[in-house]
Amino acid sequence: MQHYKETFKVVKEDLDDLNHVNNIRYIEWILEISKNHWLEVVDEAIRNEIVWVVKSHNINYSKPAKLNDPIEVTTYIKNTKGPLSIRVVEVRNNKTGQLLVNASTEWCLLDAKTFRPKRVPESIQNLFIKV
């Protein structure tokens, strides 16, 4: 499986009233890394033909992140069936390696013109299998 990762530090705008990273911010990170991985792997011609929409999120929060914590967000495609793809995202403290959040998102592939579900082509699946 091909993993994709990004690292950064928690900033004040990420925090909630408890001075922990806001749950909504974690969802934004999940969406951002998913999009960035897609943009990194797939060329513009393909991106103009198909689009992804979220069908469901399953998010487990283990530990809070705080201001200035170094964060590593990693993602990969766990499996694909028909138009659906399961993407895993893990958020870790980049200093300690401690898992903060583990998420599994079910994405549905749509034709960009008709917005109807479309089976994920094997050629696209193969792009995300590379190690």
Side-chain angles (χ1 to χ4, degrees), residues 4 10 21-22 63 82 84 116 121 126:
Y4 177 81
V10 173
V21 170
N22 189 307
K63 298 281 183 183
L84 302 177
R116 294 181 56 110
N126 290 339

Side-chain angles (χ1 to χ4, degrees), residues 7 10-11 13-14 40 59 65-66 82 103 105 121 128 131:
T7 58
V10 173
V11 296
E13 293 76 25
D14 297 328
E40 177 78 18
I59 304 170
K66 298 177 183 174
T105 301
F128 292 90
V131 177

Side-chain angles (χ1 to χ4, degrees), residues 2 5 7 18 25-26 33 47-48 50 62 79 100 112:
Q2 183 197 67
K5 72 178 178 178
T7 58
L18 300 174
R25 189 63 180 119
Y26 284 113
I33 195 159
R47 294 192 307 262
N48 289 333
I50 53 181
S62 299
N79 62 23
L100 307 174

Side-chain angles (χ1 to χ4, degrees), residues 78-96:
K78 183 176 180 181
N79 62 23
T80 301
K81 183 177 180 183
L84 302 177
S85 182
I86 305 297
R87 177 181 285 277
V88 173
V89 175
E90 295 177 343
V91 180
R92 294 183 180 274
N93 180 303
N94 199 31
K95 184 177 180 181
T96 66

Side-chain angles (χ1 to χ4, degrees), residues 91-131:
V91 180
R92 294 183 180 274
N93 180 303
N94 199 31
K95 184 177 180 181
T96 66
Q98 189 169 43
L99 181 65
L100 307 174
V101 170
N102 182 31
S104 177
T105 301
E106 187 175 41
W107 292 84
C108 183
L109 185 66
L110 304 178
D111 181 283
K113 292 182 178 84
T114 65
F115 296 111
R116 294 181 56 110
K118 179 177 181 168
R119 177 178 293 279
V120 181
E122 191 173 322
S123 58
I124 291 177
Q125 291 180 47
N126 290 339
L127 292 173
F128 292 90
I129 293 173
K130 295 178 188 174
V131 177

Side-chain angles (χ1 to χ4, degrees), residues 52-66:
W52 291 97
V53 294
V54 171
K55 187 172 180 201
S56 67
H57 286 295
N58 181 355
I59 304 170
N60 295 299
Y61 301 95
S62 299
K63 298 281 183 183
K66 298 177 183 174

